[in-house]
Amino acid sequence: MSGGAVLSLRHERLRRRAEMLARLRSFFAGRGFLEVETPTVDAEIIPELHIEPFAVGDASNQQALGFLQASPELHMKRLLCEGLPAIFQVTRSFRHGERGAIHNPEFTMVEWYRAGDDMAAGMTLLDELCQAVAGATAATRTSYAEAFRTHVAVDAHRATCEELAATARRLNTAVPEGIHADDRDEWLNLLLANVVEPQLGADRPEILYDYPGSQSALAVTATRADGTHVGERFELYWRGIELANGYHELTDAAALRARLEEVNRQRAADGRPALPLPEQLLAAMIDPGLPACSGCALGFDRLAMLACGADSIDDVMTFSW
């Protein structure tokens, strides 16, 4: 392909991306959502086990100012506590050390929350958005347990670490050095990433839901009729790529604090620094309180990549790192 043809294709994809953003804003406006903007840098952050934030400092006096936010979640939830019932945001988010065909350290995230929604309503809204913005067909819904039964032939909620390790060997899954042999979530994530995820959403978008409670720190937990303890978390996959992560949001400040403290303990055990807790959010969750709600975060660059038939998010970004 000539240089001119490459440039023309690039510009066409950028136009399609802009059209998708316009449809996205129209989608939310039609449902009564208010678009908001929240800080990109803050001294507080929501600690996550597998996400490393960028620290921001003042070069003139070596003073730390805070962190580039990996998500606008803590600020958007504070707005929900103030009484805004339905909000969305299109923002730049930052995650250290993530680079590849579907990763860039700086990327566009779309995040939204609506008071009164449970997990089912959250999944429906996500499905409708994907159809309206990307022209996708209606998504199928598959429980986490069902996905593991179908693609791995194992009971994800009850299998022991030894059984999960044996399953990884049976499926010729490469086991990374340093994996904690007694950590079920590490084995589940290994099988999910290497065996299950590549098969999700092959023909149409697919929403995975009812994750293990141990993998859903920010979600309401529930016990299903068969006794399975789950976190009411849902993720959208399309053509084997994860696009969105949502929760029936935890509203109990004390429970959230305990879960985030546990994340920091796990980070310390892995030799990584603990991160400051979102104290202003935790206080707002007590008074005036966080209403029952569902929230979701969508990687917009990935959605644009799939809608445009591109091979990398670089192809639908103006400039990547």
mmCIF file of all heavy atoms in Angstrom, residues 248-272:
data_model
loop_
_atom_site.group_PDB
_atom_site.id
_atom_site.type_symbol
_atom_site.label_atom_id
_atom_site.label_comp_id
_atom_site.label_asym_id
_atom_site.label_seq_id
_atom_site.Cartn_x
_atom_site.Cartn_y
_atom_site.Cartn_z
ATOM 1 N N HIS A 248 -22.299 -4.325 39.602
ATOM 2 C CA HIS A 248 -23.376 -3.877 40.474
ATOM 3 C C HIS A 248 -22.618 -3.376 41.685
ATOM 4 O O HIS A 248 -22.059 -4.166 42.466
ATOM 5 C CB HIS A 248 -24.306 -5.035 40.807
ATOM 6 C CG HIS A 248 -25.466 -4.649 41.665
ATOM 7 N ND1 HIS A 248 -26.216 -5.567 42.368
ATOM 8 C CD2 HIS A 248 -26.025 -3.433 41.949
ATOM 9 C CE1 HIS A 248 -27.167 -4.955 43.038
ATOM 10 N NE2 HIS A 248 -27.068 -3.658 42.800
ATOM 11 N N GLU A 249 -22.526 -2.066 41.857
ATOM 12 C CA GLU A 249 -21.526 -1.449 42.711
ATOM 13 C C GLU A 249 -21.746 -1.695 44.205
ATOM 14 O O GLU A 249 -22.862 -1.593 44.714
ATOM 15 C CB GLU A 249 -21.487 0.063 42.463
ATOM 16 C CG GLU A 249 -21.153 0.462 41.032
ATOM 17 C CD GLU A 249 -19.712 0.200 40.657
ATOM 18 O OE1 GLU A 249 -18.894 -0.067 41.571
ATOM 19 O OE2 GLU A 249 -19.386 0.269 39.454
ATOM 20 N N LEU A 250 -20.646 -1.992 44.873
ATOM 21 C CA LEU A 250 -20.648 -2.090 46.324
ATOM 22 C C LEU A 250 -20.890 -0.703 46.914
ATOM 23 O O LEU A 250 -20.220 0.265 46.536
ATOM 24 C CB LEU A 250 -19.300 -2.637 46.802
ATOM 25 C CG LEU A 250 -19.108 -2.782 48.309
ATOM 26 C CD1 LEU A 250 -20.022 -3.866 48.865
ATOM 27 C CD2 LEU A 250 -17.640 -3.113 48.617
ATOM 28 N N THR A 251 -21.819 -0.584 47.844
ATOM 29 C CA THR A 251 -22.138 0.719 48.448
ATOM 30 C C THR A 251 -21.738 0.814 49.916
ATOM 31 O O THR A 251 -21.862 1.873 50.521
ATOM 32 C CB THR A 251 -23.644 1.015 48.330
ATOM 33 O OG1 THR A 251 -24.375 -0.010 49.019
ATOM 34 C CG2 THR A 251 -24.087 1.058 46.867
ATOM 35 N N ASP A 252 -21.256 -0.270 50.496
ATOM 36 C CA ASP A 252 -20.881 -0.331 51.908
ATOM 37 C C ASP A 252 -19.444 0.177 52.063
ATOM 38 O O ASP A 252 -18.495 -0.491 51.637
ATOM 39 C CB ASP A 252 -21.008 -1.772 52.396
ATOM 40 C CG ASP A 252 -20.736 -1.926 53.885
ATOM 41 O OD1 ASP A 252 -19.850 -1.221 54.417
ATOM 42 O OD2 ASP A 252 -21.399 -2.763 54.517
ATOM 43 N N ALA A 253 -19.279 1.337 52.675
ATOM 44 C CA ALA A 253 -17.951 1.943 52.795
ATOM 45 C C ALA A 253 -17.002 1.085 53.625
ATOM 46 O O ALA A 253 -15.816 0.963 53.292
ATOM 47 C CB ALA A 253 -18.074 3.340 53.406
ATOM 48 N N ALA A 254 -17.477 0.508 54.703
ATOM 49 C CA ALA A 254 -16.617 -0.308 55.553
ATOM 50 C C ALA A 254 -16.126 -1.545 54.808
ATOM 51 O O ALA A 254 -14.950 -1.929 54.902
ATOM 52 C CB ALA A 254 -17.358 -0.709 56.824
ATOM 53 N N ALA A 255 -17.023 -2.179 54.051
ATOM 54 C CA ALA A 255 -16.635 -3.357 53.276
ATOM 55 C C ALA A 255 -15.635 -2.981 52.184
ATOM 56 O O ALA A 255 -14.672 -3.709 51.929
ATOM 57 C CB ALA A 255 -17.869 -4.005 52.661
ATOM 58 N N LEU A 256 -15.859 -1.830 51.539
ATOM 59 C CA LEU A 256 -14.930 -1.396 50.497
ATOM 60 C C LEU A 256 -13.560 -1.101 51.092
ATOM 61 O O LEU A 256 -12.530 -1.479 50.527
ATOM 62 C CB LEU A 256 -15.473 -0.166 49.784
ATOM 63 C CG LEU A 256 -14.579 0.399 48.662
ATOM 64 C CD1 LEU A 256 -14.304 -0.663 47.603
ATOM 65 C CD2 LEU A 256 -15.213 1.632 48.042
ATOM 66 N N ARG A 257 -13.514 -0.421 52.241
ATOM 67 C CA ARG A 257 -12.231 -0.140 52.879
ATOM 68 C C ARG A 257 -11.482 -1.441 53.177
ATOM 69 O O ARG A 257 -10.277 -1.555 52.904
ATOM 70 C CB ARG A 257 -12.450 0.647 54.175
ATOM 71 C CG ARG A 257 -11.135 0.976 54.903
ATOM 72 C CD ARG A 257 -11.385 1.707 56.214
ATOM 73 N NE ARG A 257 -11.934 3.035 55.979
ATOM 74 C CZ ARG A 257 -11.192 4.102 55.678
ATOM 75 N NH1 ARG A 257 -9.872 3.985 55.560
ATOM 76 N NH2 ARG A 257 -11.770 5.276 55.495
ATOM 77 N N ALA A 258 -12.186 -2.425 53.719
ATOM 78 C CA ALA A 258 -11.536 -3.692 54.055
ATOM 79 C C ALA A 258 -10.990 -4.373 52.802
ATOM 80 O O ALA A 258 -9.875 -4.922 52.813
ATOM 81 C CB ALA A 258 -12.531 -4.607 54.770
ATOM 82 N N ARG A 259 -11.746 -4.325 51.714
ATOM 83 C CA ARG A 259 -11.287 -4.956 50.472
ATOM 84 C C ARG A 259 -10.075 -4.238 49.886
ATOM 85 O O ARG A 259 -9.136 -4.872 49.394
ATOM 86 C CB ARG A 259 -12.432 -5.000 49.460
ATOM 87 C CG ARG A 259 -13.592 -5.900 49.872
ATOM 88 C CD ARG A 259 -14.659 -5.938 48.790
ATOM 89 N NE ARG A 259 -15.880 -6.589 49.241
ATOM 90 C CZ ARG A 259 -16.941 -6.812 48.466
ATOM 91 N NH1 ARG A 259 -16.923 -6.408 47.201
ATOM 92 N NH2 ARG A 259 -18.014 -7.418 48.937
ATOM 93 N N LEU A 260 -10.080 -2.902 49.933
ATOM 94 C CA LEU A 260 -8.950 -2.145 49.398
ATOM 95 C C LEU A 260 -7.705 -2.321 50.270
ATOM 96 O O LEU A 260 -6.583 -2.362 49.757
ATOM 97 C CB LEU A 260 -9.314 -0.669 49.267
ATOM 98 C CG LEU A 260 -10.420 -0.346 48.256
ATOM 99 C CD1 LEU A 260 -10.679 1.158 48.213
ATOM 100 C CD2 LEU A 260 -10.089 -0.876 46.863
ATOM 101 N N GLU A 261 -7.891 -2.435 51.565
ATOM 102 C CA GLU A 261 -6.755 -2.715 52.447
ATOM 103 C C GLU A 261 -6.162 -4.083 52.136
ATOM 104 O O GLU A 261 -4.939 -4.269 52.185
ATOM 105 C CB GLU A 261 -7.189 -2.620 53.908
ATOM 106 C CG GLU A 261 -7.461 -1.186 54.362
ATOM 107 C CD GLU A 261 -8.013 -1.101 55.769
ATOM 108 O OE1 GLU A 261 -8.476 -2.148 56.291
ATOM 109 O OE2 GLU A 261 -8.003 0.010 56.353
ATOM 110 N N GLU A 262 -7.014 -5.042 51.804
ATOM 111 C CA GLU A 262 -6.531 -6.365 51.422
ATOM 112 C C GLU A 262 -5.748 -6.296 50.109
ATOM 113 O O GLU A 262 -4.723 -6.979 49.952
ATOM 114 C CB GLU A 262 -7.699 -7.348 51.307
ATOM 115 C CG GLU A 262 -7.315 -8.737 50.814
ATOM 116 C CD GLU A 262 -6.289 -9.424 51.711
ATOM 117 O OE1 GLU A 262 -6.241 -9.136 52.925
ATOM 118 O OE2 GLU A 262 -5.549 -10.274 51.180
ATOM 119 N N VAL A 263 -6.217 -5.483 49.170
ATOM 120 C CA VAL A 263 -5.464 -5.290 47.917
ATOM 121 C C VAL A 263 -4.070 -4.757 48.226
ATOM 122 O O VAL A 263 -3.065 -5.228 47.676
ATOM 123 C CB VAL A 263 -6.213 -4.327 46.974
ATOM 124 C CG1 VAL A 263 -5.309 -3.896 45.815
ATOM 125 C CG2 VAL A 263 -7.468 -4.983 46.426
ATOM 126 N N ASN A 264 -3.985 -3.776 49.116
ATOM 127 C CA ASN A 264 -2.677 -3.225 49.474
ATOM 128 C C ASN A 264 -1.796 -4.263 50.168
ATOM 129 O O ASN A 264 -0.573 -4.286 49.962
ATOM 130 C CB ASN A 264 -2.844 -1.991 50.358
ATOM 131 C CG ASN A 264 -2.905 -0.703 49.546
ATOM 132 O OD1 ASN A 264 -2.419 -0.630 48.422
ATOM 133 N ND2 ASN A 264 -3.515 0.325 50.119
ATOM 134 N N ARG A 265 -2.392 -5.137 50.971
ATOM 135 C CA ARG A 265 -1.596 -6.206 51.589
ATOM 136 C C ARG A 265 -1.041 -7.151 50.529
ATOM 137 O O ARG A 265 0.115 -7.578 50.601
ATOM 138 C CB ARG A 265 -2.450 -6.981 52.610
ATOM 139 C CG ARG A 265 -2.603 -6.273 53.952
ATOM 140 C CD ARG A 265 -3.195 -7.192 54.993
ATOM 141 N NE ARG A 265 -4.616 -7.443 54.748
ATOM 142 C CZ ARG A 265 -5.600 -6.713 55.226
ATOM 143 N NH1 ARG A 265 -5.325 -5.648 55.965
ATOM 144 N NH2 ARG A 265 -6.846 -7.018 54.973
ATOM 145 N N GLN A 266 -1.856 -7.462 49.525
ATOM 146 C CA GLN A 266 -1.389 -8.334 48.452
ATOM 147 C C GLN A 266 -0.317 -7.652 47.609
ATOM 148 O O GLN A 266 0.645 -8.287 47.174
ATOM 149 C CB GLN A 266 -2.569 -8.758 47.576
ATOM 150 C CG GLN A 266 -3.571 -9.661 48.279
ATOM 151 C CD GLN A 266 -4.747 -10.014 47.391
ATOM 152 O OE1 GLN A 266 -4.646 -10.050 46.169
ATOM 153 N NE2 GLN A 266 -5.893 -10.260 48.008
ATOM 154 N N ARG A 267 -0.463 -6.350 47.383
ATOM 155 C CA ARG A 267 0.561 -5.606 46.651
ATOM 156 C C ARG A 267 1.892 -5.651 47.419
ATOM 157 O O ARG A 267 2.955 -5.876 46.831
ATOM 158 C CB ARG A 267 0.121 -4.158 46.440
ATOM 159 C CG ARG A 267 -0.988 -3.968 45.403
ATOM 160 C CD ARG A 267 -1.387 -2.485 45.292
ATOM 161 N NE ARG A 267 -0.250 -1.671 44.882
ATOM 162 C CZ ARG A 267 0.113 -1.462 43.619
ATOM 163 N NH1 ARG A 267 -0.589 -1.998 42.634
ATOM 164 N NH2 ARG A 267 1.158 -0.717 43.336
ATOM 165 N N ALA A 268 1.825 -5.440 48.725
ATOM 166 C CA ALA A 268 3.038 -5.475 49.538
ATOM 167 C C ALA A 268 3.685 -6.853 49.505
ATOM 168 O O ALA A 268 4.915 -6.973 49.436
ATOM 169 C CB ALA A 268 2.710 -5.067 50.971
ATOM 170 N N ALA A 269 2.855 -7.911 49.534
ATOM 171 C CA ALA A 269 3.382 -9.272 49.483
ATOM 172 C C ALA A 269 4.091 -9.549 48.164
ATOM 173 O O ALA A 269 5.017 -10.368 48.110
ATOM 174 C CB ALA A 269 2.250 -10.274 49.693
ATOM 175 N N ASP A 270 3.675 -8.837 47.103
ATOM 176 C CA ASP A 270 4.307 -8.989 45.792
ATOM 177 C C ASP A 270 5.474 -8.033 45.591
ATOM 178 O O ASP A 270 6.028 -7.935 44.497
ATOM 179 C CB ASP A 270 3.271 -8.759 44.680
ATOM 180 C CG ASP A 270 2.280 -9.904 44.566
ATOM 181 O OD1 ASP A 270 2.595 -11.001 45.079
ATOM 182 O OD2 ASP A 270 1.207 -9.712 43.962
ATOM 183 N N GLY A 271 5.817 -7.285 46.660
ATOM 184 C CA GLY A 271 6.941 -6.371 46.571
ATOM 185 C C GLY A 271 6.636 -5.060 45.886
ATOM 186 O O GLY A 271 7.547 -4.362 45.420
ATOM 187 N N ARG A 272 5.344 -4.689 45.834
ATOM 188 C CA ARG A 272 4.952 -3.423 45.213
ATOM 189 C C ARG A 272 4.389 -2.494 46.273
ATOM 190 O O ARG A 272 3.854 -2.946 47.282
ATOM 191 C CB ARG A 272 3.908 -3.682 44.119
ATOM 192 C CG ARG A 272 4.495 -4.369 42.896
ATOM 193 C CD ARG A 272 3.430 -4.658 41.855
ATOM 194 N NE ARG A 272 2.492 -5.661 42.326
ATOM 195 C CZ ARG A 272 1.241 -5.745 41.924
ATOM 196 N NH1 ARG A 272 0.755 -4.859 41.077
ATOM 197 N NH2 ARG A 272 0.451 -6.708 42.374
#
